[in-house]
């Protein structure tokens, strides 16, 4: 795709194209600072600048966005919010309830967002029925990334179940490799935990536990089994895991130091940035035991109420550009995710993305499309924080008891809601 031609087409066709006299500035808060992510942000910046506006980058590093949210709260409360900020899931409703967000319905109607974006996604982007946020993409979280060379050297295949994973991990360990690349941060612990939970609980009980916050499910026998298997996973990560960033863990798989990583499809952006080819240099497969299921994480930007007229014009141009087909293609190719629009030509996408889109559409019909707890899609930040605490404390305590952990999980969630 000729990016310059695309930019020109977009700049001429954008509904909210500014005249240079009312060119404004957008300040955008995000935490996309790793290779594939940073490249994606540059595309958005370039498209906006092509329309005559300027972009002020407000990047706060940290994969799960906790640091960024702390900074955002300080700015918003002091009456100086950015134009847009990377906010998703239930947090959008929270910010809307506080009265900080602006109405984007004019941009949405012009772009026919309701026609091209699934209702499951648009519902999250609206507050009191009005658009206040724009979805950027759909990530599948329950992926297993593997280095085929390391698997071959250990004499194992890609594990399809957790039992196969544990058996393969033993052989990989014996062959002198790290079976599972992992970063010991709460959101990464929760990412692995929810993949295990999706397998053990199944989609319905997963929903009961992490969407409905059902106390019996959170403390029940199946949850005890989740913790038991999750504990076993710890045997296959290395001692240097605590504090490691997710993209550093991904590079361990890329470099052949580790065999596998359980991580969302943003990891694919790192493989792509390193010039690796899916099916040849790396394998993408459903996390063990979760074939046909899809844990979704939808990245989005919430738009804040600002006063300057030129900056409002720039803000609307940004909202329109995010859902433009050309941007959706180039952004998601870099990021590793799939477009949030259902009317996209997917011919430029690789097999991992095609598999992801097929499972996304199929799981929506079977009831196996579930929101990610680890990535703020299934519940409030308070309940998520309570789950994080229990999960991380358990994972890092070699003497922790799975039955006790399930009881603690239910109690912690109950206290948070």
């Amino acid at each position: 795709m000729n990016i310059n031609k695309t930019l020109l087409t977009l700049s001429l066709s954008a509904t909210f194209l500014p005249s240079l006299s009312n060119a404004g500035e957008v300040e955008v808060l995000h935490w996309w600072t790793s290779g594939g992510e940073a490249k994606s942000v540059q595309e958005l910046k370039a498209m906006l600048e092509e329309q005559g506006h300027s972009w002020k980058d407000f990047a706060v590093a940290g994969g799960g966005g906790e640091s960024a949210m702390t900074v955002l709260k300080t700015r918003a409360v002091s009456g100086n919010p950015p134009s847009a900020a990377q906010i998703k899931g239930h947090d959008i409703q929270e910010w809307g309830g506080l009265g900080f967000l602006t109405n984007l319905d004019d941009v949405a109607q012009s772009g026919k967002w309701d026609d091209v974006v699934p209702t499951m996604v648009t519902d999250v982007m609206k507050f009191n029925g009005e658009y206040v946020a724009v979805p950027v993409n759909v990530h599948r979280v329950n992926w297993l990334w593997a280095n085929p060379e390391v698997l071959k050297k250990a004499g194992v295949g890609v594990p399809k179940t957790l039992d196969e994973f544990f058996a393969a991990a033993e052989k990989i360990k014996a062959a002198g490799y790290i079976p599972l690349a992992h970063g010991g941060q709460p959101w990464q612990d929760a990412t692995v935990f929810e993949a295990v939970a999706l397998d053990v609980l199944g989609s319905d009980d997963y929903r009961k536990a992490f969407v409905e916050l059902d106390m019996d499910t959170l403390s029940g026998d199946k949850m005890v089994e989740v913790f038991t298997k999750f504990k076993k996973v710890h045997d296959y990560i290395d001692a240097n895991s605590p504090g490691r960033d997710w993209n550093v863990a991904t590079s361990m798989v890329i470099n052949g130091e580790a065999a596998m990583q359980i991580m969302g499809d943003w990891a694919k952006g790192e493989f792509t940035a390193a010039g690796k080819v899916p099916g040849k240099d790396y394998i993408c497969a459903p996390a063990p035991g979760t074939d046909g299921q899809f844990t979704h994480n939808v990245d989005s930007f919430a738009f804040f109420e600002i006063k300057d007229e030129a900056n409002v014009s720039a803000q609307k141009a940004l909202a329109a550009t995010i859902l433009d087909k050309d941007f959706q293609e180039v952004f998601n190719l870099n990021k590793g995710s799939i477009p949030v629009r259902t009317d996209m030509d997917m011919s430029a996408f690789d097999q991992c993305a095609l598999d992801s889109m097929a499972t996304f559409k199929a799981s929506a019909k079977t009831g196996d499309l579930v929101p990610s707890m680890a990535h703020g899609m299934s519940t409030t930040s308070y309940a998520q924080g309570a789950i994080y605490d229990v999960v991380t404390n358990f994972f890092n305590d070699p003497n922790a008891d799975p039955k006790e952990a399930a009881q603690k999980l239910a109690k912690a969630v109950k206290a948070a809601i």
Side-chain angles (χ1 to χ4, degrees):
M1 184 170 64
N2 184 322
I3 295 295
N4 289 330
K5 189 180 170 192
T6 301
L7 294 179
L8 182 63
T9 309
L10 178 62
S11 66
L12 292 173
S13 65
T15 314
F16 291 91
L17 181 68
S19 66
L20 289 177
S21 61
N22 73 338
E25 178 183 82
V26 288
E27 185 181 16
V28 184
L29 172 65
H30 63 89
W31 56 88
W32 287 331
T33 54
S34 74
E37 296 176 325
K39 202 173 172 188
S40 304
V41 171
Q42 287 307 309
E43 298 292 355
L44 185 55
K45 180 184 176 186
M47 286 184 172
L48 202 72
E49 287 174 345
E50 193 75 14
Q51 295 174 58
H53 294 301
S54 58
W55 170 289
K56 187 177 179 184
D57 207 46
F58 185 5
V60 182
E66 297 89 346
S67 309
M69 287 305 97
T70 306
V71 176
L72 178 60
K73 281 167 190 165
T74 309
R75 285 280 305 269
V77 170
S78 66
N80 181 31
S83 314
Q86 196 180 344
I87 301 173
K88 61 189 179 185
H90 286 255
D91 287 349
I92 294 170
Q93 305 306 309
E94 238 170 79
W95 282 100
L98 292 169
F100 283 113
L101 304 182
T102 193
N103 184 330
L104 298 170
D105 279 356
D106 53 348
V107 191
Q109 280 157 14
S110 175
K112 297 184 169 61
W113 293 359
D114 281 339
D115 298 339
V116 298
V117 179
T119 309
M120 176 207 82
V121 177
T122 58
D123 284 350
V124 182
M125 302 300 133
K126 294 175 181 178
F127 177 73
N128 285 346
E130 297 175 347
Y131 275 100
V132 292
V134 186
V136 189
N137 57 2
V138 178
H139 280 296
R140 186 184 189 184
V141 182
N142 59 312
W143 275 118
L144 178 80
W145 306 93
N147 183 312
E149 273 299 301
V150 177
L151 296 183
K152 192 177 168 187
K153 284 173 183 168
V156 298
V158 178
K160 290 185 170 61
T161 65
L162 274 172
D163 286 342
E164 283 181 16
F165 171 82
F166 294 132
E170 280 297 332
K171 289 183 177 175
I172 293 161
K173 210 173 179 179
Y177 298 94
I178 296 163
L180 189 70
H182 182 66
Q185 296 171 340
W187 73 270
Q188 294 190 65
D189 294 342
T191 299
V192 175
F193 177 79
E194 80 174 9
V196 175
L198 187 61
D199 171 30
V200 175
L201 299 174
S203 302
D204 290 342
D205 280 351
Y206 173 97
R207 221 177 266 106
K208 273 187 192 168
F210 303 122
V211 179
E212 297 166 25
L213 306 178
D214 177 72
M215 292 302 141
D216 290 342
T217 311
L218 286 166
S219 62
D221 290 345
K222 278 170 97 174
M223 192 61 79
V224 175
E225 190 189 335
V226 172
F227 276 105
T228 304
K229 290 189 169 170
F230 180 55
K231 183 173 187 165
K232 199 172 178 184
V233 170
H234 199 282
D235 296 342
Y236 303 108
I237 64 176
D238 65 303
N240 295 323
S241 167
R244 178 188 287 144
D245 286 333
W246 70 270
N247 51 315
V248 177
T250 306
S251 70
M252 291 165 67
V253 179
I254 293 171
N255 300 332
E257 192 183 336
M260 300 174 279
Q261 181 186 22
I262 293 171
M263 185 52 64
D265 54 19
W266 47 92
K268 192 180 73 173
E270 299 300 298
F271 286 98
T272 304
K276 302 299 181 186
V277 179
K280 177 175 164 275
D281 303 313
Y282 68 96
I283 295 163
C284 56
T290 69
D291 190 23
Q293 294 169 292
F294 191 114
T295 323
H296 69 78
N297 173 22
V298 177
D299 281 319
S300 54
F301 283 101
F303 283 67
F304 284 76
E305 192 76 58
I306 54 175
K307 293 190 174 73
D308 184 273
E309 210 173 297
N311 291 351
V312 169
S313 170
Q315 190 184 47
K316 288 181 187 293
L318 174 64
T321 305
I322 288 170
L323 273 178
D324 180 89
K325 276 188 180 181
D326 291 325
F327 175 69
Q328 281 283 309
E329 177 170 307
V330 74
F331 177 89
N332 286 290
L333 285 172
N334 283 326
K335 186 81 159 64
S337 44
I338 55 173
V340 74
R341 296 181 66 123
T342 52
D343 60 344
M344 293 285 295
D345 171 7
M346 294 291 287
S347 56
F349 288 81
D350 64 30
Q351 199 55 50
C352 296
L354 296 176
D355 289 351
S356 191
M357 185 61 98
T359 308
F360 178 58
K361 289 178 176 174
S363 62
K365 291 174 182 162
T366 60
D368 289 311
L369 178 65
V370 298
S372 169
M373 170 278 294
H375 296 273
M377 299 305 297
S378 76
T379 186
T380 65
S381 53
Y382 307 109
Q384 182 199 44
I387 296 167
Y388 271 21
D389 287 347
V390 174
V391 165
T392 288
N393 289 338
F394 173 84
F395 201 52
N396 292 303
D397 177 4
N399 301 314
D401 175 60
K403 196 167 184 180
E404 267 178 42
Q407 297 292 333
K408 277 182 188 169
L409 184 66
K411 281 178 187 164
V413 169
K414 195 171 184 180
I417 56 177

